[in-house]
Amino acid sequence: QVQLQESGPGLVKPSETLSLTCTVSGGSVSSGSYYWSWIRQPPGKGLEWIGYIYYSGSTNYNPSLKSRVTISVDTSKNQFSLKLSSVTAADTAVYYCARDLALEHWGQGTLVTVSS
Amino acid sequence: ETTLTQSPAFMSATPGDKVNISCKASQDIDDDMNWYQQKPGEAAIFIIQEATTLVPGIPPRFSGSGYGTDFTLTINNIESEDAAYYFCLQHDNFPLTFGQGTKLEIK
């Protein structure tokens, strides 16, 4: 059974870059023709899909965030990562990682607060 | 972008009840609709795929219906463990989009 776990700083200053990692166990990020996604949920609001990286390395981002987002994969550590630049308070959210376009497996999420 | 309008935002049920949660898409998405259950502090659980197919391991009291723009998640014979946040996802087109979610309380 594949499991995903998000990790990274819980507090980021405005204008800085948010960096999170998703560690995958029970499966490989470099095989199986899977998509690896990031999703977020601001407090009291709905879910927003951020983007994905395909096992081959190709990416697709939500146009609303595209100019600030980079998703990458580290096959040696069986992880994939999210970088979101120039953050503001509006980027405060619980960030989730998930597998495939169906989002069939999710991590528990990690709260990132943007504040000085 | 496909907007998903999910309702109700909150509902309360008694064990044994039947509940319906609706998700309406702003455009035709065929059967590319999934449903999820999430409890506080836990990973979301995938419960319905392709609008009507129960994900293996999910109790059969959960079911999904719909096609095109109107979709429904039904929970029959509600149990106390079904108290959770439920949300829908369309994966017909990008960006993937979600319904606003439904918080289900069990009395």
Side-chain angles (χ1 to χ4, degrees), chain B:
Chain B
E1 176 173 323
T2 301
T3 300
L4 297 182
T5 302
Q6 185 174 343
S7 62
F10 176 86
M11 64 190 314
S12 184
T14 300
D17 281 354
K18 172 183 174 179
V19 302
N20 291 310
I21 298 172
S22 170
C23 201
K24 295 184 185 295
S26 60
Q27 60 185 291
D28 190 329
I29 58 168
D30 296 336
D31 62 353
D32 295 329
M33 171 66 71
N34 296 343
W35 292 94
Y36 304 82
Q37 175 196 72
Q38 187 173 34
K39 298 181 180 180
E42 299 182 9
I45 295 173
F46 185 26
I47 57 175
I48 299 288
Q49 58 185 325
E50 305 310 313
T52 61
T53 302
L54 192 66
V55 172
I58 301 302
R61 63 180 181 274
F62 290 88
S63 64
S65 61
Y67 189 90
T69 59
D70 288 358
F71 301 87
T72 302
L73 171 68
T74 299
I75 312 174
N76 286 291
N77 195 21
I78 284 258
E79 298 186 6
S80 58
E81 66 183 34
D82 298 332
Y85 175 78
Y86 293 85
F87 59 90
C88 55
L89 161 78
Q90 71 80 20
H91 59 95
D92 178 76
N93 56 80
F94 291 104
L96 305 185
T97 50
F98 297 89
Q100 287 296 304
T102 296
K103 184 176 181 180
L104 174 62
E105 173 193 85
I106 309 300
K107 299 172 189 172

Side-chain angles (χ1 to χ4, degrees), chain A residues 37 39 41 45-49 52 60 62-63 96 101-104 106-108, chain B residues 1 34 36 38 41-44 46 85 87 89 91 94-100:
Chain A
S37 281
I39 303 104
Q41 185 170 29
K45 297 187 177 181
L47 291 152
E48 179 180 35
W49 176 75
Y52 72 66
N60 188 348
N62 192 320
Y96 300 94
L101 293 181
L103 306 182
E104 56 191 22
W106 292 61
Q108 290 181 304
Chain B
E1 176 173 323
N34 296 343
Y36 304 82
Q38 187 173 34
E42 299 182 9
F46 185 26
Y85 175 78
F87 59 90
L89 161 78
H91 59 95
F94 291 104
L96 305 185
T97 50
F98 297 89
Q100 287 296 304

Side-chain angles (χ1 to χ4, degrees), chain A residues 26-112:
Chain A
S28 171
V29 295
S30 59
S31 65
S33 303
Y34 290 119
Y35 298 81
W36 302 93
S37 281
W38 286 98
I39 303 104
R40 70 179 184 177
Q41 185 170 29
K45 297 187 177 181
L47 291 152
E48 179 180 35
W49 176 75
I50 298 170
Y52 72 66
I53 186 164
Y54 192 40
Y55 82 108
S56 63
S58 63
T59 56
N60 188 348
Y61 302 136
N62 192 320
S64 67
L65 298 167
K66 187 174 183 177
S67 63
R68 300 193 290 132
V69 171
T70 302
I71 298 175
S72 60
V73 64
D74 185 339
T75 56
S76 67
K77 296 181 180 179
N78 213 34
Q79 297 174 334
F80 63 106
S81 298
L82 168 71
K83 291 189 185 300
L84 182 65
S85 64
S86 306
V87 297
T88 70
D91 294 310
T92 293
V94 177
Y95 286 77
Y96 300 94
C97 56
R99 191 183 82 170
D100 226 356
L101 293 181
L103 306 182
E104 56 191 22
H105 296 285
W106 292 61
Q108 290 181 304
T110 187
L111 174 63
V112 179

